[in-house]
Amino acid sequence: MELIVAGQAIPAGPPKQRALLALLAMHADRVLPADLLVDRLWSGNPPASAQGSMQVYVSNLRRRLEPDRRPGTTPTVLVSAADGYGLMTGGLGLDTRDFETLVSAGSGHLAEGRHEEAAAALAEALGLWRGDPYADVRSEEWAQPEIGRLEQVRLDVVEGLATALLELGRHTDVVARLDPFVREHPLRERAWELLVLAHYRADRQAAALECLRRVREVLAGELGIDPGPRLRELEGRCCARTPRCSRRSGPPRRRPPSGLWHGRRHAGLPSPRWTSRSSSAARARWSS
């Protein structure tokens, strides 16, 4: 995790201080009780000096987040209220917040069939993803739900972007994005379906059939199941070399509830630099 202030990267501080920043960022625009922060930073076993140490961390972070704030003036980014602390985003930029804003916009465009706008927004969102989210606190139990949620959103965005690109006829781009993606996440059936369609519509019949063979093999070996109905239907059409795999007469496409396509969920599925910006152009990033 790092902070960008006035265009310059500055260190966020020692591990506990970085963990505090991550915890506050996960709950941005909310004040968290000091006792809760102490309990999480010291894994339920805080020393007698914990409250004093946390106040030092808060003071250090304030100097980094608002370097131009005059002594004695009220902080506006890392605020104190009701015996707690909160990270306010009015004068702050967070990569996580920007990522989700772009995802929401791209999802809406995709659901409404505005594929050019959807592709632009979703590609920009993925461009903010520069490593594991909250890598500094990845091993902390309290960080797991938010990390897992962000990683799942990213997987859905990759498939949503591929859907938009496929509708735009950019088959080569879809293959370039999804071929490594399905190797890393082989149980994502929707990704396999999009990859097969991209090959087929680009007149690469052999590659499409090879993808179908691979996904059948993976699902059987890993989960002991056959491909879902959409993949089986696509396999039959590809094997029969019918024109129904073409863009205009392809299998019916459902609209995703959130504007993104979702494959069947499987238990145990695996995966932004994240950034803060104050009125003096501070920005915090996660990085691996």
Side-chain angles (χ1 to χ4, degrees):
M1 188 180 299
E2 68 179 6
L3 295 171
I4 306 297
V5 181
Q8 299 294 320
I10 62 172
K16 281 279 192 296
Q17 188 167 299
R18 296 163 74 88
L20 174 60
L21 182 58
L23 183 53
L24 292 171
M26 287 181 184
H27 302 276
D29 295 317
R30 291 176 52 195
V31 172
L32 299 181
D35 289 344
L36 173 65
L37 294 171
V38 165
D39 183 72
R40 292 191 173 179
L41 289 178
W42 278 271
S43 303
N45 189 28
S49 60
Q51 286 283 357
S53 296
M54 189 176 68
Q55 290 173 4
V56 171
Y57 298 148
V58 168
S59 179
N60 290 340
L61 288 172
R62 281 174 172 164
R63 285 197 297 271
R64 287 165 166 80
L65 291 167
E66 296 184 84
D68 298 330
R69 183 173 61 87
R70 289 183 296 177
T73 59
T74 303
T76 59
V77 177
L78 207 173
V79 304
S80 303
D83 194 31
Y85 300 98
L87 194 65
M88 302 294 112
T89 60
L92 182 73
L94 293 174
D95 275 0
T96 47
R97 185 69 56 85
D98 293 345
F99 172 74
E100 296 200 78
T101 297
L102 287 164
V103 169
S104 178
S107 172
H109 293 320
L110 189 59
E112 295 169 6
R114 299 198 301 271
H115 301 113
E116 197 76 57
E117 294 92 336
L122 296 178
E124 187 177 352
L126 290 174
L128 294 175
W129 196 277
R130 308 178 188 95
D132 293 332
Y134 300 110
D136 293 317
V137 294
R138 196 168 185 82
S139 62
E140 300 289 346
E141 184 177 353
W142 51 262
Q144 296 305 308
E146 178 64 2
I147 290 174
R149 186 188 69 82
L150 285 170
E151 289 176 338
Q152 182 61 53
V153 171
R154 184 187 73 87
L155 299 181
D156 292 340
V157 170
V158 171
E159 293 173 357
L161 175 56
T163 300
L165 294 174
L166 194 63
E167 292 301 315
L168 293 170
R170 295 169 57 180
H171 309 130
T172 300
D173 289 345
V174 174
V175 172
R177 287 180 177 275
L178 290 188
D179 192 55
F181 182 80
V182 297
R183 295 177 190 277
E184 186 177 358
H185 306 285
L187 303 182
R188 302 282 296 194
E189 288 191 56
R190 177 58 184 163
W192 282 104
E193 179 188 343
L194 293 166
L195 182 57
V196 170
L197 284 169
H199 280 305
Y200 192 92
R201 293 173 185 175
D203 296 323
R204 292 191 289 264
Q205 175 79 1
L209 291 172
E210 173 61 16
C211 286
L212 289 163
R213 183 197 66 77
R214 285 165 54 200
V215 65
R216 181 175 286 279
E217 186 177 88
V218 166
L219 292 176
E222 295 291 328
L223 300 175
I225 63 173
D226 290 328
R230 292 178 63 85
L231 271 173
R232 292 199 305 271
E233 179 185 16
L234 185 56
E235 182 178 29
R237 292 176 178 176
C238 288
C239 289
R241 300 181 62 89
T242 71
R244 295 184 67 189
C245 283
S246 68
R247 178 175 180 274
R248 298 188 184 281
S249 56
R253 291 180 290 275
R254 58 191 175 194
R255 289 161 91 88
S258 66
L260 297 178
W261 287 92
H262 297 268
R264 291 191 297 166
R265 303 291 186 207
H266 297 282
L269 282 176
S271 120
R273 238 153 101 151
W274 78 265
T275 329
S276 66
R277 179 174 59 241
S278 72
S279 56
S280 54
R283 191 166 189 81
R285 293 186 183 143
W286 73 65
S287 55
S288 51

